[in-house]
Amino acid sequence: MRHFLIAVLMLLPLTAQAEAQLSQRDYQLLTQAFKLIEAEQYAEAHKYLMEVKSQVGNDYARALISHNLGQVELQRERYGKALGHLRDSYELNALPKEQQINLIRTLAQLNCIEENWSTCASLLEQWMHQAPGKVKGDDHLLLAQAYSRLKKWSKVVKQVSAAINSRDVAPENWYQLKVVAHIRLRQWRAAIREQKRLISHYADKPLHWRRLVSLQLEVKDQQAALATQRMGFERNLLRKDSDYRLLAEMMLQAQVPYFAGLVIQEGVENGVLNPDKKTLKLLSRSWIQAHESEKAVDVLVQLNQLAPSRQSLTRLAHMQIELRDWHGAQATLLKALKHSQGKQARLQLLLGITRIKLKSYEQARHALSAAAADKQLKATADGWVRYLDQISLDSPQAKAS
């Protein structure tokens, strides 16, 4: 914006009309100053203008000197001092009307540079009212930026919309500012609409896709969020570890666990996801919900080698029981019992059932007895004990005795 400002504030030339309003002496003084500025001898021009400032005879000459002192200070990037000189020039109200109006815009820009946001906004509004035919998209954007610093978000929306509409395709940050304004106003649907508009022009930025997903989740539109996340994933834009996890989580919520498992598995195989506890838990959950028992067992074995817990061991045991891997289930349940602190009755019940399948009847009876100590499980455990009694009587060993 500073470079743009310097380009806008041009040296005021000494026209024939100006010469008519100046005394011969004032005209000569100003001519010498202009020559120094045109030669880019800014330090010398500044010194000279300050010396002759009190020597000129009318407000018009003083306004020209102050205006061109401002020009010199702009070229030297001394914006605060430039602002002071240009304000002096404007307040003299001696320049032609068009130049006075142009000064309002320059003063607004300088106030923005100096972070005087309220003054900047007020002056820009004044200038737009007085010179509507000269207002461009950049002016609306500057006003929108000033209002954003003042947290006047409704006014931000109005001005940045005008800026965007002035272009076939606006710069990326213009759309971003509008989205932020809608978010601040908690206008989620409008924010989503503008974020989609941004993506339609700048589709290669992962950040824009992530924000759209976040906004869709904010309004609890899980289906749309999943579609966006999946599209960004398939375009190879959303490929961070967090992107893989989020996509898998949303797929699980959408009840497509098999595809969630494929996503996590791909992330591990590609080296994007570390096969750590968090990853393996999500992958095992996916395969369990997808009824992919063998895949779930493989992952749960890895998980329990890495970070064994009663919960993960119990899940593994359930999968092994489902696959009728009785020996594996027994070993897993014994490990789970070692990792549990209390709450062993349900594990003992599973262990008793497993040992019945292994025909280890006495060990099964012992486990079922421990399970029956729990009031909630007593009826179930007693039922298995009765079943155990029956098959024990029918066993060859019982008949032989």
Side-chain angles (χ1 to χ4, degrees):
M1 185 177 73
R2 295 184 178 193
H3 174 77
F4 174 74
L5 176 61
I6 292 172
V8 167
L9 182 61
M10 302 301 293
L11 184 68
L12 291 183
L14 288 179
T15 62
Q17 181 182 358
E19 185 176 0
Q21 297 182 51
L22 297 170
S23 68
Q24 184 65 30
R25 182 171 180 275
D26 289 350
Y27 183 81
Q28 290 175 347
L29 291 173
L30 285 163
T31 299
Q32 179 59 30
F34 289 176
K35 287 179 180 179
L36 290 170
I37 296 173
E38 288 176 337
E40 299 183 1
Q41 297 177 17
Y42 298 122
E44 292 83 352
H46 181 270
K47 181 180 178 181
Y48 179 78
L49 285 165
M50 292 299 292
E51 287 175 356
V52 303
K53 186 176 182 180
S54 60
Q55 299 176 24
V56 294
N58 63 24
D59 283 349
Y60 179 60
R62 280 187 282 274
L64 285 174
I65 287 177
S66 292
H67 187 283
N68 289 293
L69 275 168
Q71 168 73 1
V72 167
E73 296 293 27
L74 281 177
Q75 297 293 347
R76 300 166 83 187
E77 298 188 7
R78 295 162 60 169
Y79 299 107
K81 291 185 179 298
L83 177 59
H85 289 305
L86 293 172
R87 189 187 297 117
D88 290 343
S89 179
Y90 178 76
E91 289 176 353
L92 285 168
N93 197 26
L95 296 175
K97 182 178 179 182
E98 184 176 355
Q99 291 174 357
Q100 283 287 118
I101 292 173
N102 289 340
L103 257 179
I104 298 172
R105 182 191 188 204
T106 305
L107 288 170
Q109 293 172 318
L110 279 169
N111 274 284
C112 275
I113 288 175
E114 293 296 295
E115 299 186 4
N116 302 322
W117 303 113
S118 182
T119 303
C120 169
S122 176
L123 287 172
L124 273 174
E125 290 275 16
Q126 179 184 344
W127 174 74
M128 288 179 177
H129 178 71
Q130 292 185 32
K134 294 186 177 181
V135 180
K136 300 186 183 304
D138 292 304
D139 301 309
H140 286 294
L141 180 70
L142 181 57
L143 184 52
Q145 290 171 332
Y147 279 135
S148 73
R149 296 305 185 98
L150 296 169
K151 302 188 187 310
K152 296 183 177 181
W153 300 110
S154 294
K155 291 186 175 183
V156 172
V157 169
K158 178 182 176 181
Q159 294 302 325
V160 77
S161 295
I164 290 170
N165 292 337
S166 72
R167 305 281 186 93
D168 290 335
V169 178
E172 187 175 359
N173 64 314
W174 296 17
Y175 298 103
Q176 289 176 303
L177 178 58
K178 190 172 183 182
V179 170
V180 168
H182 282 304
I183 290 172
R184 295 288 187 174
L185 292 166
R186 304 184 69 80
Q187 296 171 345
W188 306 113
R189 297 291 180 186
I192 288 170
R193 183 181 63 249
E194 293 305 320
Q195 190 67 20
K196 287 180 177 179
R197 188 179 179 188
L198 170 58
I199 288 175
S200 71
H201 298 303
Y202 300 96
D204 59 339
K205 300 291 183 68
L207 175 65
H208 300 332
W209 291 84
R210 292 190 183 103
R211 170 163 277 180
L212 179 56
V213 171
S214 177
L215 289 168
Q216 289 166 331
L217 289 174
E218 182 67 36
V219 298
K220 296 181 170 49
D221 191 346
Q222 306 290 341
Q223 185 176 356
L226 173 56
T228 301
Q229 184 75 11
R230 193 166 188 171
M231 189 180 301
F233 183 83
E234 290 172 353
R235 292 188 180 196
N236 289 315
L237 293 170
L238 303 183
R239 290 285 175 154
K240 282 187 171 183
D241 56 349
S242 57
D243 296 320
Y244 277 87
R245 295 183 197 281
L246 179 59
L247 179 56
E249 290 282 5
M250 287 196 290
M251 284 178 164
L252 284 172
Q253 190 168 1
Q255 299 182 349
V256 283
Y258 182 78
F259 292 101
L262 291 179
V263 167
I264 295 299
Q265 184 172 290
E266 179 186 323
V268 172
E269 291 173 353
N270 290 344
V272 178
L273 290 174
N274 291 322
D276 54 16
K277 179 181 177 181
K278 184 178 180 180
T279 299
L280 293 175
K281 284 180 73 173
L282 182 57
L283 183 54
S284 65
R285 187 171 136 217
S286 300
W287 292 140
I288 289 170
Q289 291 186 24
H291 304 291
E292 292 286 338
S293 301
E294 292 184 2
K295 291 181 179 180
V297 165
D298 289 342
V299 176
L300 286 166
V301 167
Q302 294 178 59
L303 176 59
N304 286 302
Q305 288 173 345
L306 180 67
S309 67
R310 181 181 65 84
Q311 185 182 47
S312 60
L313 285 164
T314 302
R315 284 179 179 169
L316 175 56
H318 276 291
M319 292 295 99
Q320 290 168 324
I321 289 170
E322 187 173 313
L323 292 172
R324 297 182 175 274
D325 178 8
W326 307 116
H327 289 287
Q330 177 178 237
T332 301
L333 286 165
L334 289 172
K335 289 179 184 177
L337 285 164
K338 289 181 181 179
H339 280 86
S340 64
Q341 297 177 352
K343 299 183 180 179
Q344 294 191 355
R346 195 166 296 278
L347 294 173
Q348 291 286 3
L349 177 62
L350 291 174
L351 182 58
I353 296 168
T354 299
R355 283 174 167 171
I356 288 174
K357 299 298 182 180
L358 290 170
K359 299 182 180 179
S360 300
Y361 297 135
E362 288 306 313
Q363 290 180 312
R365 191 178 299 279
H366 178 75
L368 291 170
S369 176
D374 185 298
K375 292 181 180 179
Q376 293 182 335
L377 297 178
K378 179 173 173 53
T380 303
D382 287 346
W384 278 101
V385 168
R386 287 193 294 273
Y387 173 73
L388 178 57
D389 290 340
Q390 181 62 43
I391 61 174
S392 296
L393 290 174
D394 293 338
S395 68
Q397 295 89 340
K399 290 179 179 179
S401 62

